[in-house]
Amino acid sequence: MKKLFCTVLLSLLLLSCAPLKNTEPSTLPPPISAEDELPPVTPPQISYPASPEHCADAYLDSKAVRLYEKDGVRYIRLIDLCDYEVFTDGENFTAKFNFKGRSYDADGFFDGKDWYITTELLNSLGFKTFNETGELLFTYIPTSIPEDIEIPVLMYHAVSDEVWGIRELFVKPENMEKQIVWLLDNGYTPIFFEDLASLDGIEKPVILTFDDGYDDNYLYLYPILKKYNVKATVFIITDTVGWKNKLTEEQILEMSRSGLVSFQSHTATHPDLDLVSPEQQERELTSSKLYLARLLKKESFVLCYPTGRYDSSALKFTKENYSFAVTMNDSRLYNTSDDPYTVRREYIARSTTLSQFEKMLTK
């Protein structure tokens, strides 16, 4: 009896130690072998707006660009203006760009390839629309200019060893180069009128201007500008382009495309504006403006008064057609808070020594 009891007890102990069989189906997925293929992952779909339609050709500061239209709004590609960055949160896109030293948010849209900005944004940046030549021209003209900054504006004419006219108008190329080297060595930055809105980033600006449009500006001045990467403004008497001793259209275009020379108006025939009729005053100012616009594919916005003279009627037409006007033979510096239609310039003559030149700049 005792032996039977021990046998039964041993059997029960062995049974209690055995694993219980799980009769419920397993909820774990079967293991994936290396040979099994994972299901493809579908990336999020980003919807891009449709590209606008090319509707016309235009010029952006002389550069040929395409004009686009969508839903009655006109656009240009932002890359035709400047570089930019596009940002996205996966659904929406924004773009930022820098222009004339300032950062802007781009008003427009991204089609997956290009960012487009409206012509309204272009105008707000300072580009004026001009279409009086039958072509659409967008020209940058500075409007928001830092106040109370004094700038030397220097007035030259011809640059040549050879003298065939009024002797004092012909600065020797050797002296011209010495003056430019002195400016650069003393921290000056030659600028265009187009750069006036960026004065906050320019410590010592100076504007070099050359009147009349003599061909020696191409033969002797232009190589110096290229050598030192210096900017200059040339005021053209437009009816004399191509005449003896005057710049040709080919020379003007080459100099303009270099980015070192800005061509502006010196009227059509160089009359004393205070001695001619209002009708002729208007023709002188508008015909020279149209000529330069047709040739350069950009609007001229600075006028040089011939001999520095004008009257109230001439001033009226100047304000209707230009944003700045320069006078002559004034030893005072131009102050950006002054009247933009009486920009003062100091005359540099053939006889001006480097010592005298230094005193003009450091007075």
Side-chain angles (χ1 to χ4, degrees):
M1 187 66 160
K2 182 178 180 180
K3 183 178 180 180
L4 178 61
F5 174 78
C6 291
T7 302
V8 172
L9 180 60
L10 181 60
S11 299
L12 291 173
L13 289 172
L14 292 171
L15 183 63
S16 66
C17 293
L20 295 176
K21 184 178 182 180
N22 185 3
T23 58
E24 295 294 327
S26 175
T27 59
L28 296 174
I32 299 175
S33 67
E35 292 77 15
D36 292 331
E37 293 185 359
L38 292 173
V41 177
T42 304
Q45 297 297 311
I46 299 178
S47 177
Y48 298 104
S51 302
E53 295 291 331
H54 169 224
C55 64
D57 293 320
Y59 292 90
L60 187 66
D61 270 344
S62 298
K63 176 185 177 182
V65 298
R66 283 191 158 194
L67 196 65
Y68 300 87
E69 186 169 331
K70 180 179 179 182
D71 299 328
V73 178
R74 288 190 164 187
Y75 299 85
I76 68 162
R77 297 187 312 161
L78 180 53
I79 194 62
D80 287 332
L81 175 65
C82 61
D83 293 332
Y84 60 92
E85 291 183 286
V86 176
F87 305 89
T88 181
D89 58 9
E91 295 182 2
N92 301 307
F93 292 89
T94 56
K96 292 184 178 294
F97 64 95
N98 288 303
F99 182 72
K100 299 295 183 182
R102 300 179 184 177
S103 180
Y104 296 91
D105 294 320
D107 172 22
F109 66 90
F110 186 57
D111 68 354
K113 179 183 177 183
D114 292 309
W115 190 279
Y116 296 85
I117 60 170
T118 63
T119 54
E120 286 80 4
L121 174 58
L122 201 61
N123 293 148
S124 72
L125 294 175
F127 283 87
K128 184 180 175 183
T129 305
F130 186 81
N131 58 9
E132 295 182 30
T133 62
E135 298 173 301
L136 192 60
L137 312 180
F138 294 100
T139 304
Y140 176 75
I141 300 175
T143 52
S144 179
I145 300 173
E147 296 182 351
D148 200 27
I149 296 178
E150 291 190 329
I151 305 174
V153 184
L154 307 182
M155 180 183 69
Y156 298 86
H157 289 78
V159 179
S160 176
D161 285 318
E162 180 185 355
V163 175
W164 49 264
I166 301 174
R167 182 176 181 80
E168 283 299 284
L169 297 183
F170 290 77
V171 173
K172 293 182 177 182
E174 177 186 4
N175 291 342
M176 184 78 248
E177 183 168 6
K178 287 180 179 178
Q179 291 168 13
I180 286 179
V181 168
W182 184 91
L183 289 171
L184 298 178
D185 287 347
N186 285 272
Y188 285 91
T189 301
I191 66 171
F192 292 148
F193 283 87
E194 289 92 325
D195 299 319
L196 289 175
S198 305
L199 288 177
D200 286 338
I202 303 173
E203 184 176 356
K204 296 171 72 174
V206 60
I207 301 178
L208 310 179
T209 67
F210 296 80
D211 291 6
D212 302 337
Y214 298 109
D215 62 354
D216 56 51
N217 288 184
Y218 176 84
L219 297 173
Y220 306 113
L221 170 65
Y222 184 43
I224 298 173
L225 300 179
K226 289 191 292 183
K227 180 178 179 179
Y228 296 99
N229 195 35
V230 164
K231 295 178 177 180
T233 298
V234 175
F235 292 107
I236 292 286
I237 306 170
T238 55
D239 278 10
T240 66
V241 171
W243 286 16
K244 182 181 179 181
N245 298 321
K246 292 298 182 69
L247 290 168
T248 66
E249 289 188 347
E250 292 75 16
Q251 292 169 335
I252 292 171
L253 286 170
E254 180 184 340
M255 296 169 74
S256 177
R257 289 166 180 166
S258 73
L260 297 176
V261 184
S262 173
F263 287 94
Q264 302 293 338
S265 173
H266 200 20
T267 71
T269 66
H270 199 274
D272 287 342
L273 291 175
D274 60 339
L275 300 180
V276 298
S277 68
E279 292 76 19
Q280 185 176 348
Q281 290 173 347
E282 185 174 21
R283 284 195 302 270
E284 291 285 342
L285 272 56
T286 58
S287 65
S288 59
K289 186 182 186 75
L290 285 172
Y291 177 90
L292 290 173
R294 291 191 181 102
L295 178 63
L296 301 174
K297 308 303 182 186
K298 65 186 299 184
E299 181 182 359
S300 59
F301 63 93
V302 187
L303 174 72
C304 176
Y305 301 116
T307 67
R309 300 171 64 178
Y310 59 92
D311 59 16
S312 60
S313 175
L315 183 60
K316 170 181 174 293
F317 293 123
T318 301
K319 291 182 176 181
E320 291 175 355
N321 291 278
Y322 298 88
S323 298
F324 298 88
V326 302
T327 60
M328 60 188 298
N329 297 346
D330 196 322
S331 61
R332 294 172 298 168
L333 298 180
Y334 161 55
N335 189 296
T336 55
S337 296
D338 294 342
D339 183 353
Y341 294 98
T342 57
V343 175
R344 298 186 287 267
R345 297 187 298 165
E346 185 144 16
Y347 175 42
I348 309 298
R350 186 180 184 89
S351 60
T352 302
T353 66
L354 187 59
S355 176
Q356 291 172 330
F357 182 82
E358 293 175 10
K359 290 179 181 179
M360 291 178 184
L361 274 295
T362 57
K363 63 191 173 201

